[in-house]
Amino acid sequence: MTPVLLGQVTLKKAALKNIPYLFTLYREEIGSTWSEQDFLSFTKSSNNALYEIRLNSNCVGFIQLTQVKPEADLVNIAVAKPLQNMGVGTQALHQLVETLKSRGVEKIFLEVKQTSPAVEFYSNSGFVPAGTRKEYYPDGSNALRMERVL
């Protein structure tokens, strides 16, 4: 059973001053090979967006997204460890879906490590398997490509 979350989850375009914190969270929770400069550069493309996940007034996570209508790619989502499994990510993803629907997006895609517990998170949020990408990750593991029709 998911604990009851005390507070309101909102999404906000990431503030430049919060990039160092978001990058630290990225490294801790995702641990990919991006540098801080790569992380910052991601925000400079007009098709990309970096959102802060906020709980009340506190930045507690982020969502990275690439949008080319009528589709979007969920690049990364991360929530600070103390707030994981409390519904923060679920509420943030729900808000993102509603925002994308209102912008005319018809499908959202993502890749997730096949063996990751995140597969269940995405499945519970309406994503379904749409293929496999062999040896997609630097460690040689496969990615499950998932999609959600809006």
Side-chain angles (χ1 to χ4, degrees):
M1 184 172 156
T2 302
V4 175
L5 184 62
L6 300 176
Q8 181 178 359
V9 175
T10 56
L11 290 180
K12 174 185 163 192
K13 188 169 177 87
L16 194 56
K17 69 178 184 172
N18 289 336
I19 297 291
Y21 167 72
L22 297 176
F23 179 71
T24 298
L25 187 59
Y26 168 83
R27 281 293 215 200
E28 290 172 356
E29 300 307 321
I30 297 170
S32 183
T33 57
W34 285 17
S35 68
E36 189 167 359
Q37 185 58 45
D38 294 334
F39 193 82
L40 180 59
S41 294
F42 178 85
T43 64
K44 294 183 179 175
S45 169
S46 62
N47 291 332
N48 295 341
L50 176 62
Y51 295 100
E52 295 176 9
I53 300 172
R54 301 184 71 79
L55 177 59
N56 299 323
S57 61
N58 300 310
C59 180
V60 298
F62 68 88
I63 294 176
Q64 288 176 300
L65 176 81
T66 298
Q67 180 181 330
V68 180
K69 286 184 188 173
E71 298 173 348
D73 283 300
L74 180 59
V75 177
N76 287 307
I77 182 171
V79 173
K81 195 159 295 289
L83 295 170
Q84 291 177 5
N85 301 309
M86 297 187 71
V88 174
T90 300
Q91 287 185 36
L93 187 54
H94 175 74
Q95 286 182 34
L96 179 68
V97 165
E98 293 306 312
T99 298
L100 293 175
K101 273 188 198 178
S102 73
R103 293 181 183 165
V105 171
E106 297 170 3
K107 282 186 182 180
I108 304 172
F109 294 94
L110 61 88
E111 283 86 22
V112 61
K113 217 176 242 194
Q114 275 186 321
T115 57
S116 171
V119 172
E120 183 178 358
F121 166 75
Y122 292 121
S123 294
N124 290 341
S125 296
F127 286 84
V128 297
T132 302
R133 294 187 181 222
K134 301 286 185 195
E135 299 177 6
Y136 182 78
Y137 292 100
D139 67 1
S141 60
N142 296 338
L144 178 63
R145 182 140 170 93
M146 299 184 83
E147 71 177 9
R148 178 171 172 182
V149 177
L150 305 185

